[in-house]
Coordinates of all heavy atoms in Angstrom, one line a residue:
M1 N -18.8 -16.0 32.4 CA -17.9 -15.8 31.4 C -18.0 -14.4 30.6 O -17.2 -14.0 29.8 CB -18.0 -16.9 30.3 CG -17.6 -18.3 30.9 SD -15.9 -18.4 31.5 CE -15.0 -18.7 29.9
G2 N -19.0 -13.7 31.0 CA -19.3 -12.4 30.3 C -18.1 -11.4 30.4 O -17.8 -10.8 29.4
F3 N -17.4 -11.5 31.5 CA -16.4 -10.4 31.7 C -15.2 -10.7 30.7 O -14.5 -9.8 30.3 CB -15.9 -10.3 33.2 CG -15.0 -11.5 33.5 CD1 -13.7 -11.3 33.6 CD2 -15.6 -12.8 33.9 CE1 -12.8 -12.3 34.0 CE2 -14.7 -13.8 34.3 CZ -13.3 -13.5 34.3
L4 N -15.0 -12.0 30.4 CA -13.8 -12.2 29.5 C -14.1 -11.7 28.1 O -13.2 -11.1 27.5 CB -13.7 -13.8 29.3 CG -12.8 -14.5 30.3 CD1 -12.8 -16.0 30.0 CD2 -11.4 -13.9 30.2
K5 N -15.3 -11.7 27.7 CA -15.7 -11.2 26.4 C -15.4 -9.7 26.4 O -14.8 -9.1 25.4 CB -17.2 -11.4 26.2 CG -17.5 -11.9 24.8 CD -19.0 -12.1 24.7 CE -19.3 -12.7 23.3 NZ -20.8 -13.0 23.2
N6 N -15.7 -9.0 27.5 CA -15.5 -7.6 27.6 C -14.0 -7.3 27.6 O -13.6 -6.3 27.0 CB -16.1 -7.0 28.9 CG -17.6 -7.0 28.9 OD1 -18.2 -7.0 27.7 ND2 -18.2 -7.1 30.0
L7 N -13.2 -8.2 28.3 CA -11.7 -7.9 28.4 C -11.2 -7.8 26.9 O -10.3 -7.1 26.6 CB -11.1 -9.0 29.1 CG -10.7 -8.8 30.6 CD1 -10.0 -10.0 31.1 CD2 -9.8 -7.6 30.6
F8 N -11.6 -8.7 26.1 CA -11.0 -8.9 24.8 C -11.8 -8.0 23.7 O -11.7 -8.2 22.6 CB -10.9 -10.3 24.4 CG -9.9 -11.1 25.2 CD1 -10.4 -11.9 26.1 CD2 -8.6 -10.8 25.0 CE1 -9.4 -12.6 27.0 CE2 -7.6 -11.5 25.8 CZ -8.0 -12.4 26.7
G9 N -12.5 -7.1 24.2 CA -13.2 -6.2 23.2 C -14.6 -6.8 22.9 O -15.6 -6.1 23.1
G10 N -14.7 -7.9 22.3 CA -15.9 -8.5 21.9 C -16.7 -7.9 20.9 O -17.6 -8.4 20.3
G11 N -16.3 -6.7 20.5 CA -16.9 -5.9 19.4 C -16.7 -6.6 18.1 O -15.8 -7.4 17.9
S12 N -17.5 -6.2 17.1 CA -17.3 -6.9 15.7 C -16.5 -6.0 14.8 O -16.3 -6.3 13.7 CB -18.7 -7.2 15.2 OG -19.5 -6.0 15.1
A13 N -16.2 -4.8 15.3 CA -15.5 -3.9 14.4 C -14.1 -4.4 14.1 O -13.4 -4.7 15.1 CB -15.4 -2.5 15.0
K14 N -13.7 -4.4 12.8 CA -12.3 -4.7 12.5 C -11.4 -3.6 12.8 O -11.7 -2.4 12.7 CB -12.2 -5.1 11.0 CG -12.6 -6.5 10.7 CD -12.3 -6.8 9.2 CE -13.0 -5.9 8.2 NZ -12.6 -6.3 6.8
P15 N -10.2 -4.0 13.3 CA -9.3 -2.8 13.5 C -8.9 -2.2 12.2 O -8.6 -2.9 11.2 CB -8.1 -3.4 14.2 CG -8.1 -4.9 13.9 CD -9.7 -5.2 13.7
E16 N -8.8 -0.9 12.1 CA -8.4 -0.2 10.9 C -7.0 -0.4 10.6 O -6.1 -0.2 11.5 CB -8.8 1.3 11.0 CG -10.3 1.7 10.8 CD -10.6 1.4 9.4 OE1 -9.9 1.8 8.5 OE2 -11.8 0.9 9.2
K17 N -6.8 -0.8 9.4 CA -5.3 -0.9 9.0 C -4.9 0.4 8.3 O -5.4 0.7 7.3 CB -5.3 -2.2 8.0 CG -3.9 -2.7 7.8 CD -4.0 -3.9 6.9 CE -4.5 -3.6 5.5 NZ -4.2 -4.6 4.5
R18 N -4.0 1.0 9.0 CA -3.5 2.4 8.6 C -2.7 2.3 7.3 O -2.7 3.2 6.5 CB -3.0 3.0 9.7 CG -2.3 4.4 9.4 CD -3.2 5.5 9.4 NE -2.7 6.7 8.9 CZ -2.1 7.7 9.6 NH1 -2.0 7.6 10.9 NH2 -1.6 8.8 9.0
Y19 N -1.7 1.4 7.3 CA -0.7 1.3 6.3 C -0.8 0.0 5.4 O -1.0 -1.0 6.0 CB 0.8 1.4 6.9 CG 1.0 2.7 7.6 CD1 0.9 2.7 9.0 CD2 1.3 3.8 6.9 CE1 1.1 3.9 9.6 CE2 1.5 5.0 7.6 CZ 1.4 5.1 8.9 OH 1.6 6.2 9.6
Y20 N -0.6 0.2 4.1 CA -0.3 -0.9 3.3 C 1.1 -1.0 3.0 O 1.7 -0.1 2.4 CB -1.2 -0.7 2.0 CG -1.0 -1.9 1.0 CD1 -1.6 -3.0 1.2 CD2 -0.1 -1.8 0.0 CE1 -1.4 -4.1 0.4 CE2 0.2 -2.8 -0.9 CZ -0.5 -4.0 -0.6 OH -0.3 -5.1 -1.5
V21 N 1.8 -2.1 3.4 CA 3.2 -2.3 3.2 C 3.5 -3.2 2.0 O 2.8 -4.2 1.9 CB 3.9 -2.8 4.5 CG1 5.3 -3.0 4.3 CG2 3.6 -1.9 5.7
F22 N 4.4 -2.8 1.2 CA 4.8 -3.7 0.0 C 6.3 -3.6 -0.2 O 7.0 -2.8 0.4 CB 4.0 -3.2 -1.2 CG 4.3 -1.8 -1.6 CD1 5.4 -1.6 -2.5 CD2 3.7 -0.7 -1.0 CE1 5.7 -0.2 -2.9 CE2 4.0 0.6 -1.5 CZ 5.0 0.8 -2.3
H23 N 6.8 -4.5 -0.9 CA 8.2 -4.6 -1.3 C 8.4 -4.7 -2.8 O 7.7 -5.4 -3.5 CB 8.9 -5.8 -0.6 CG 8.9 -5.7 0.8 ND1 7.7 -6.2 1.6 CD2 9.8 -5.3 1.7 CE1 8.0 -5.9 2.9 NE2 9.2 -5.4 3.1
V24 N 9.3 -3.9 -3.3 CA 9.7 -3.9 -4.6 C 11.3 -4.2 -4.8 O 12.0 -3.9 -3.9 CB 9.3 -2.7 -5.4 CG1 7.9 -2.5 -5.6 CG2 10.0 -1.4 -4.8
K25 N 11.6 -4.9 -5.9 CA 13.0 -5.2 -6.1 C 13.5 -4.4 -7.3 O 12.9 -4.4 -8.3 CB 13.1 -6.7 -6.4 CG 14.5 -7.2 -6.5 CD 14.5 -8.7 -6.7 CE 15.9 -9.2 -6.8 NZ 15.9 -10.7 -7.0
C26 N 14.6 -3.7 -7.1 CA 15.1 -2.8 -8.1 C 15.6 -3.6 -9.3 O 16.3 -4.6 -9.1 CB 16.2 -2.0 -7.5 SG 17.1 -0.9 -8.6
N27 N 15.2 -3.2 -10.5 CA 15.6 -3.8 -11.7 C 17.2 -3.8 -11.9 O 17.7 -4.6 -12.6 CB 14.9 -3.3 -12.9 CG 13.6 -4.0 -13.2 OD1 13.2 -5.0 -12.4 ND2 12.8 -3.4 -14.0
R28 N 17.7 -2.7 -11.5 CA 19.2 -2.5 -11.8 C 20.1 -3.1 -10.8 O 21.0 -3.8 -11.2 CB 19.4 -1.0 -11.7 CG 19.7 -0.4 -13.2 CD 19.9 1.0 -13.1 NE 21.3 1.4 -13.1 CZ 21.7 2.6 -12.8 NH1 20.7 3.6 -12.6 NH2 23.0 2.9 -12.8
C29 N 19.8 -3.0 -9.5 CA 20.8 -3.5 -8.6 C 20.3 -4.7 -7.7 O 21.0 -5.3 -6.9 CB 21.3 -2.4 -7.6 SG 20.0 -1.7 -6.5
G30 N 19.0 -4.9 -7.8 CA 18.4 -6.1 -7.1 C 18.1 -5.8 -5.6 O 17.6 -6.7 -5.0
E31 N 18.2 -4.6 -5.2 CA 17.9 -4.2 -3.8 C 16.4 -4.3 -3.6 O 15.6 -3.9 -4.4 CB 18.3 -2.9 -3.5 CG 18.0 -2.5 -2.0 CD 18.4 -1.0 -1.7 OE1 19.0 -0.3 -2.5 OE2 18.1 -0.6 -0.5
V32 N 16.0 -4.9 -2.5 CA 14.6 -4.9 -2.1 C 14.3 -3.7 -1.2 O 14.9 -3.5 -0.3 CB 14.2 -6.3 -1.4 CG1 12.8 -6.2 -0.9 CG2 14.4 -7.4 -2.4
I33 N 13.3 -3.0 -1.7 CA 13.0 -1.8 -1.0 C 11.5 -1.9 -0.4 O 10.6 -2.3 -1.2 CB 13.0 -0.5 -2.0 CG1 14.4 -0.5 -2.6 CG2 12.7 0.8 -1.3 CD1 14.4 0.3 -3.9
E34 N 11.4 -1.5 0.8 CA 10.1 -1.4 1.4 C 9.3 -0.1 1.2 O 9.9 0.9 1.3 CB 10.1 -1.7 2.9 CG 8.8 -1.8 3.5 CD 8.9 -2.1 5.0 OE1 9.2 -3.2 5.5 OE2 8.6 -1.1 5.8
G35 N 8.2 -0.2 0.7 CA 7.3 0.9 0.5 C 6.0 0.9 1.4 O 5.7 -0.2 1.8
R36 N 5.5 2.0 1.7 CA 4.4 2.0 2.6 C 3.4 3.1 2.0 O 3.7 4.2 1.7 CB 4.9 2.5 3.9 CG 4.2 2.0 5.1 CD 5.0 1.8 6.2 NE 5.4 3.0 6.9 CZ 5.4 3.2 8.2 NH1 5.1 2.2 9.0 NH2 5.7 4.3 8.8
V37 N 2.1 2.6 2.0 CA 1.1 3.6 1.6 C 0.3 4.0 2.9 O -0.2 3.1 3.6 CB 0.2 2.9 0.6 CG1 -1.0 3.9 0.3 CG2 0.9 2.5 -0.6
D38 N 0.2 5.2 3.2 CA -0.6 5.6 4.3 C -2.0 5.8 3.9 O -2.3 6.7 3.0 CB 0.0 7.0 4.8 CG -0.8 7.6 5.9 OD1 -2.0 7.2 6.1 OD2 -0.2 8.4 6.6
L39 N -2.9 4.9 4.2 CA -4.2 4.8 3.7 C -5.1 6.0 4.1 O -6.1 6.3 3.4 CB -4.9 3.5 4.1 CG -4.2 2.2 3.5 CD1 -4.8 1.0 4.1 CD2 -4.3 2.1 2.0
D40 N -4.6 6.8 5.2 CA -5.4 7.9 5.5 C -5.0 9.2 4.8 O -5.7 10.1 4.6 CB -5.1 8.2 7.1 CG -6.0 7.2 7.9 OD1 -6.9 6.6 7.3 OD2 -5.7 7.2 9.1
N41 N -3.7 9.2 4.3 CA -3.3 10.5 3.8 C -2.7 10.4 2.3 O -2.7 11.4 1.6 CB -2.0 11.0 4.6 CG -2.5 11.4 6.0 OD1 -3.5 12.2 6.1 ND2 -1.8 10.9 7.0
D42 N -2.3 9.2 1.8 CA -1.7 9.1 0.5 C -2.7 8.9 -0.6 O -2.3 9.1 -1.8 CB -0.7 7.9 0.5 CG 0.6 8.3 1.3 OD1 0.7 9.4 1.8 OD2 1.3 7.3 1.5
L43 N -3.9 8.5 -0.3 CA -4.8 8.1 -1.4 C -5.5 9.3 -2.0 O -5.9 10.2 -1.4 CB -5.8 7.2 -0.8 CG -5.3 5.9 -0.3 CD1 -6.4 5.0 0.2 CD2 -4.4 5.2 -1.2
S44 N -5.7 9.2 -3.4 CA -6.5 10.3 -4.1 C -7.8 9.6 -4.5 O -7.7 8.4 -5.0 CB -5.8 10.8 -5.2 OG -4.4 11.1 -5.0
I45 N -8.9 10.2 -4.2 CA -10.1 9.6 -4.6 C -10.5 9.7 -6.0 O -10.1 10.7 -6.7 CB -11.2 10.2 -3.7 CG1 -12.5 9.3 -3.7 CG2 -11.6 11.6 -4.1 CD1 -13.4 9.5 -2.5
D46 N -11.1 8.7 -6.6 CA -11.5 8.8 -8.0 C -12.8 8.0 -8.1 O -13.2 7.1 -7.3 CB -10.5 8.2 -8.9 CG -10.6 8.7 -10.4 OD1 -11.6 9.5 -10.6 OD2 -9.9 8.2 -11.3
Y47 N -13.6 8.2 -9.2 CA -14.9 7.5 -9.3 C -14.9 6.8 -10.7 O -14.5 7.3 -11.7 CB -16.0 8.5 -9.3 CG -16.1 9.3 -8.0 CD1 -15.5 10.5 -8.0 CD2 -16.6 8.7 -6.9 CE1 -15.5 11.2 -6.7 CE2 -16.6 9.4 -5.7 CZ -16.1 10.7 -5.6 OH -16.1 11.3 -4.5
E48 N -15.2 5.5 -10.6 CA -15.3 4.7 -11.8 C -16.7 4.2 -11.9 O -17.1 3.2 -11.2 CB -14.3 3.5 -11.7 CG -12.9 3.9 -11.8 CD -11.9 2.7 -12.0 OE1 -12.4 1.6 -11.7 OE2 -10.8 2.9 -12.4
G49 N -17.5 4.8 -12.7 CA -18.9 4.5 -12.7 C -19.6 4.7 -11.4 O -19.5 5.8 -10.9
D50 N -20.1 3.7 -10.8 CA -20.8 3.7 -9.5 C -19.9 3.6 -8.3 O -20.3 3.8 -7.2 CB -22.0 2.7 -9.4 CG -23.1 3.1 -10.4 OD1 -23.2 4.3 -10.7 OD2 -23.9 2.1 -10.7
S51 N -18.7 3.1 -8.6 CA -17.8 2.7 -7.5 C -16.7 3.8 -7.2 O -16.3 4.5 -8.1 CB -17.2 1.4 -7.7 OG -16.5 1.3 -8.9
T52 N -16.4 3.9 -6.0 CA -15.3 4.9 -5.5 C -14.0 4.0 -5.4 O -14.0 3.0 -4.9 CB -15.7 5.4 -4.2 OG1 -17.0 5.9 -4.3 CG2 -14.7 6.5 -3.7
V53 N -13.0 4.5 -6.0 CA -11.7 4.0 -5.9 C -10.7 5.0 -5.4 O -10.9 6.2 -5.5 CB -11.3 3.4 -7.3 CG1 -12.2 2.1 -7.7 CG2 -11.2 4.3 -8.3
Y54 N -9.6 4.5 -5.0 CA -8.5 5.3 -4.5 C -7.2 5.0 -5.3 O -6.8 3.8 -5.4 CB -8.3 5.1 -3.0 CG -9.5 5.5 -2.1 CD1 -10.4 4.5 -1.9 CD2 -9.7 6.8 -1.7 CE1 -11.5 4.8 -1.1 CE2 -10.7 7.1 -1.0 CZ -11.6 6.2 -0.7 OH -12.7 6.5 0.1
F55 N -6.5 6.0 -5.6 CA -5.2 5.9 -6.4 C -4.1 6.3 -5.5 O -4.2 7.3 -4.7 CB -5.2 6.7 -7.6 CG -6.0 6.2 -8.7 CD1 -7.1 6.7 -9.1 CD2 -5.4 5.1 -9.4 CE1 -7.9 6.2 -10.1 CE2 -6.1 4.6 -10.5 CZ -7.4 5.1 -10.9
V56 N -2.9 5.7 -5.6 CA -1.7 6.3 -5.1 C -0.6 6.0 -5.9 O -0.5 5.0 -6.7 CB -1.4 5.7 -3.6 CG1 -1.2 4.2 -3.7 CG2 -0.3 6.4 -3.0
R57 N 0.4 7.0 -6.0 CA 1.6 6.9 -6.9 C 2.7 7.2 -6.0 O 2.7 8.2 -5.2 CB 1.5 7.9 -8.0 CG 2.6 7.7 -9.0 CD 2.4 8.6 -10.1 NE 1.2 8.2 -11.0 CZ 0.6 8.9 -11.8 NH1 1.0 10.2 -12.0 NH2 -0.4 8.4 -12.5
K58 N 3.8 6.3 -6.0 CA 4.9 6.4 -5.1 C 6.2 6.3 -6.0 O 6.3 5.5 -6.9 CB 4.9 5.3 -4.1 CG 3.9 5.4 -3.1 CD 4.4 5.8 -1.8 CE 3.4 6.2 -0.8 NZ 4.0 7.1 0.3
G59 N 7.1 7.1 -5.6 CA 8.5 7.0 -6.2 C 9.4 6.5 -5.1 O 9.5 7.1 -4.1
L60 N 10.1 5.3 -5.4 CA 11.0 4.8 -4.4 C 12.4 4.7 -4.9 O 12.7 4.4 -6.1 CB 10.6 3.3 -4.0 CG 9.1 3.1 -3.4 CD1 8.8 1.7 -3.4 CD2 9.1 3.7 -2.1
V61 N 13.3 5.1 -4.0 CA 14.8 5.0 -4.3 C 15.4 4.3 -3.2 O 15.1 4.4 -2.0 CB 15.4 6.4 -4.5 CG1 16.9 6.2 -4.9 CG2 14.6 7.2 -5.5
G62 N 16.3 3.3 -3.6 CA 16.9 2.4 -2.6 C 18.0 3.2 -1.9 O 18.3 4.3 -2.2
T63 N 18.7 2.4 -1.0 CA 19.8 3.0 -0.2 C 21.2 2.7 -0.8 O 22.2 3.1 -0.3 CB 19.7 2.6 1.2 OG1 19.7 1.1 1.3 CG2 18.6 3.1 1.9
N64 N 21.2 1.8 -1.8 CA 22.4 1.4 -2.5 C 22.9 2.7 -3.3 O 22.1 3.6 -3.5 CB 22.2 0.3 -3.5 CG 22.2 -1.1 -2.7 OD1 22.6 -1.1 -1.5 ND2 21.6 -2.1 -3.3
R65 N 24.1 2.6 -3.9 CA 24.5 3.6 -4.9 C 23.9 3.4 -6.2 O 24.6 3.2 -7.2 CB 26.0 3.7 -5.0 CG 26.7 4.3 -3.8 CD 28.2 4.1 -3.8 NE 28.8 4.3 -2.5 CZ 29.3 5.5 -2.2 NH1 29.2 6.5 -3.0 NH2 29.8 5.7 -1.0
C66 N 22.6 3.5 -6.2 CA 21.8 3.2 -7.5 C 20.8 4.2 -7.5 O 20.1 4.4 -6.5 CB 21.3 1.8 -7.4 SG 20.0 1.5 -8.5
F67 N 20.7 4.9 -8.6 CA 19.7 6.0 -8.6 C 18.5 5.7 -9.4 O 17.8 6.6 -9.8 CB 20.4 7.3 -9.2 CG 21.5 7.7 -8.3 CD1 22.8 7.5 -8.6 CD2 21.2 8.3 -7.0 CE1 23.9 7.8 -7.7 CE2 22.3 8.6 -6.1 CZ 23.6 8.4 -6.5
Q68 N 18.2 4.4 -9.7 CA 17.1 4.0 -10.3 C 15.9 4.3 -9.4 O 15.8 4.0 -8.3 CB 17.2 2.5 -10.4 CG 15.9 1.9 -10.9 CD 15.7 1.9 -12.5 OE1 16.5 2.5 -13.2 NE2 14.8 1.1 -12.9
Q69 N 15.0 5.1 -10.0 CA 13.7 5.4 -9.4 C 12.7 4.4 -9.7 O 12.5 4.1 -10.9 CB 13.3 6.8 -9.8 CG 11.8 7.1 -9.4 CD 11.7 8.2 -8.3 OE1 12.6 8.6 -7.7 NE2 10.5 8.8 -8.3
I70 N 12.0 3.8 -8.7 CA 11.0 2.8 -9.0 C 9.7 3.5 -8.8 O 9.4 4.1 -7.8 CB 11.2 1.6 -8.0 CG1 12.5 1.0 -8.3 CG2 10.1 0.6 -8.3 CD1 13.0 -0.1 -7.3
E71 N 8.9 3.5 -9.8 CA 7.6 4.1 -9.8 C 6.5 3.0 -9.5 O 6.4 2.1 -10.3 CB 7.3 4.7 -11.2 CG 8.1 6.0 -11.5 CD 7.6 7.2 -10.7 OE1 6.5 7.2 -10.2 OE2 8.5 8.1 -10.6
V72 N 5.7 3.3 -8.5 CA 4.6 2.3 -8.1 C 3.3 3.0 -8.2 O 3.1 4.1 -7.7 CB 4.8 1.8 -6.8 CG1 3.7 0.9 -6.3 CG2 6.2 1.0 -6.7
E73 N 2.3 2.4 -8.9 CA 1.0 2.9 -8.9 C 0.1 1.8 -8.4 O 0.1 0.7 -8.7 CB 0.6 3.2 -10.3 CG 1.0 4.6 -10.8 CD 0.5 5.0 -12.1 OE1 -0.7 4.9 -12.3 OE2 1.3 5.2 -13.0
M74 N -0.8 2.2 -7.5 CA -1.8 1.3 -6.9 C -3.2 1.7 -6.8 O -3.4 3.0 -6.8 CB -1.4 0.9 -5.4 CG -0.1 0.0 -5.4 SD 0.4 -0.3 -3.7 CE 1.8 -1.4 -4.1
K75 N -4.1 0.9 -6.9 CA -5.5 1.3 -6.8 C -6.1 0.4 -5.7 O -6.0 -0.8 -5.7 CB -6.2 1.0 -8.2 CG -7.5 1.6 -8.4 CD -8.3 1.1 -9.5 CE -7.8 1.6 -10.8 NZ -8.5 1.1 -12.0
F76 N -7.0 1.1 -4.9 CA -7.7 0.5 -3.8 C -9.1 0.7 -4.0 O -9.5 1.7 -4.5 CB -7.2 1.0 -2.5 CG -5.8 0.8 -2.2 CD1 -4.7 1.6 -2.6 CD2 -5.4 -0.3 -1.4 CE1 -3.5 1.4 -2.3 CE2 -4.1 -0.5 -1.0 CZ -3.1 0.3 -1.5
D77 N -9.9 -0.3 -3.5 CA -11.4 0.0 -3.5 C -11.8 0.7 -2.3 O -11.0 1.1 -1.5 CB -12.1 -1.4 -3.7 CG -12.1 -2.3 -2.5 OD1 -11.6 -1.8 -1.4 OD2 -12.5 -3.5 -2.5
S78 N -13.1 0.9 -2.2 CA -13.6 1.8 -1.1 C -13.3 1.2 0.2 O -13.4 1.9 1.3 CB -15.1 2.1 -1.3 OG -15.7 0.9 -1.4
G79 N -13.1 -0.1 0.4 CA -12.7 -0.7 1.6 C -11.2 -0.8 1.8 O -10.8 -1.6 2.7
H80 N -10.5 -0.1 1.0 CA -9.0 -0.1 1.1 C -8.4 -1.5 0.8 O -7.3 -1.8 1.3 CB -8.6 0.4 2.6 CG -8.8 1.9 2.7 ND1 -8.6 2.5 3.9 CD2 -9.1 2.9 1.8 CE1 -8.9 3.9 3.8 NE2 -9.2 4.1 2.5
E81 N -9.0 -2.2 0.0 CA -8.5 -3.5 -0.4 C -7.8 -3.1 -1.8 O -8.3 -2.5 -2.7 CB -9.5 -4.5 -0.7 CG -10.2 -5.1 0.6 CD -9.2 -5.8 1.5 OE1 -8.2 -6.6 0.9 OE2 -9.3 -5.6 2.8
L82 N -6.6 -3.7 -1.9 CA -5.8 -3.5 -3.2 C -6.5 -4.2 -4.4 O -6.8 -5.4 -4.3 CB -4.4 -4.0 -3.0 CG -3.4 -3.8 -4.2 CD1 -3.1 -2.3 -4.3 CD2 -2.1 -4.6 -3.9
I83 N -6.7 -3.4 -5.4 CA -7.3 -4.1 -6.6 C -6.4 -4.1 -7.8 O -6.7 -4.9 -8.8 CB -8.7 -3.5 -6.9 CG1 -8.7 -2.0 -6.9 CG2 -9.8 -4.1 -5.9 CD1 -10.0 -1.4 -7.3
E84 N -5.5 -3.2 -7.8 CA -4.6 -3.2 -9.0 C -3.2 -2.6 -8.6 O -3.2 -1.6 -7.7 CB -5.2 -2.2 -10.0 CG -5.1 -2.6 -11.5 CD -5.8 -1.7 -12.3 OE1 -7.1 -1.8 -12.4 OE2 -5.2 -0.9 -13.0
K85 N -2.2 -3.1 -9.2 CA -0.9 -2.5 -8.9 C 0.0 -2.6 -10.1 O -0.1 -3.6 -10.9 CB -0.2 -3.2 -7.8 CG 0.0 -4.6 -7.9 CD 0.6 -5.2 -6.6 CE 0.9 -6.7 -6.7 NZ 1.4 -7.2 -5.4
Q86 N 0.8 -1.6 -10.3 CA 1.8 -1.5 -11.4 C 3.1 -1.0 -11.0 O 3.1 -0.2 -10.0 CB 1.3 -0.6 -12.5 CG 0.2 -1.1 -13.3 CD -0.2 -0.2 -14.4 OE1 0.4 1.0 -14.6 NE2 -1.3 -0.5 -15.2
V87 N 4.2 -1.4 -11.5 CA 5.5 -1.0 -11.2 C 6.4 -0.8 -12.3 O 6.3 -1.6 -13.3 CB 6.2 -1.9 -10.1 CG1 6.4 -3.3 -10.6 CG2 7.5 -1.3 -9.5
Q88 N 7.2 0.3 -12.3 CA 8.1 0.5 -13.4 C 9.6 0.7 -12.8 O 9.7 1.4 -11.7 CB 7.8 1.8 -14.1 CG 6.7 1.6 -15.1 CD 6.3 2.9 -15.8 OE1 6.9 4.0 -15.5 NE2 5.4 2.8 -16.7
G89 N 10.5 0.0 -13.3 CA 11.9 0.1 -12.8 C 12.2 -1.0 -11.8 O 13.3 -1.1 -11.3
G90 N 11.2 -1.8 -11.5 CA 11.4 -2.9 -10.5 C 10.3 -3.9 -10.6 O 9.4 -3.8 -11.5
T91 N 10.3 -4.8 -9.7 CA 9.2 -5.8 -9.7 C 8.7 -6.0 -8.2 O 9.5 -5.7 -7.3 CB 9.7 -7.3 -10.1 OG1 10.9 -7.6 -9.4 CG2 10.0 -7.2 -11.6
F92 N 7.5 -6.3 -8.1 CA 6.9 -6.6 -6.7 C 7.4 -7.9 -6.2 O 7.6 -8.9 -6.8 CB 5.4 -6.6 -6.8 CG 4.7 -5.3 -6.9 CD1 4.2 -4.9 -8.2 CD2 4.7 -4.4 -5.9 CE1 3.5 -3.7 -8.3 CE2 4.1 -3.1 -6.1 CZ 3.5 -2.8 -7.3
V93 N 7.8 -7.8 -4.9 CA 8.2 -9.0 -4.1 C 7.1 -9.3 -3.2 O 6.7 -8.5 -2.4 CB 9.5 -8.8 -3.4 CG1 10.0 -10.0 -2.6 CG2 10.6 -8.3 -4.3
E94 N 6.6 -10.6 -3.3 CA 5.5 -10.9 -2.3 C 6.0 -11.4 -1.0 O 7.0 -12.0 -0.9 CB 4.6 -12.1 -3.0 CG 4.1 -11.8 -4.3 CD 3.1 -10.5 -4.3 OE1 2.5 -10.3 -3.3 OE2 2.9 -9.8 -5.3
Ligands
LIG101 ZN1 18.8 -0.1 -7.5

């Protein structure tokens, strides 16, 4: 059965998740807009005490005739897990 293990990788390394995808709903027109954080390129590093965190700020505009800009701010830990999020001009859709 050893070869099956090899076929499916068998390694313990988790596949790297490159993008964090989220959705926000515009407060003005109700459009749901998809946003994407490129975890390799969009994050700015910061230090909080002993821990390393990553920040990202995104401005999203929908495709409707609505010029409401939705501002999203997110914070990730060193393992790229989301630990904090804020939005202005819209709400997060889970
Ligand atoms: Zn809108």
Side-chain angles (χ1 to χ4, degrees):
M1 293 300 274
F3 76 100
L4 271 181
K5 226 177 184 177
N6 289 337
L7 260 183
F8 292 105
S12 57
K14 277 192 296 184
E16 280 291 316
K17 198 173 62 164
R18 169 89 192 265
Y19 296 102
Y20 177 80
V21 179
F22 60 94
H23 294 86
V24 289
K25 189 175 178 181
C26 177
N27 275 350
R28 252 177 94 190
C29 68
E31 180 181 359
V32 174
I33 304 162
E34 182 180 287
R36 210 148 74 137
V37 177
D38 182 336
L39 295 170
D40 282 348
N41 292 309
D42 289 350
L43 301 180
S44 313
I45 197 162
D46 199 5
Y47 302 96
E48 287 188 347
D50 288 338
S51 53
T52 305
V53 294
Y54 296 93
F55 282 106
V56 63
R57 187 172 293 161
K58 289 253 165 200
L60 301 170
V61 181
T63 52
N64 286 341
R65 282 168 195 271
C66 162
F67 299 103
Q68 169 87 350
Q69 164 117 339
I70 302 173
E71 291 281 343
V72 176
E73 275 184 57
M74 288 176 175
K75 194 194 282 183
F76 295 84
D77 70 12
S78 55
H80 288 168
E81 290 296 323
L82 184 68
I83 48 178
E84 219 177 285
K85 60 182 179 181
Q86 282 181 4
V87 61
Q88 282 177 358
T91 50
F92 284 107
V93 181
E94 299 300 331

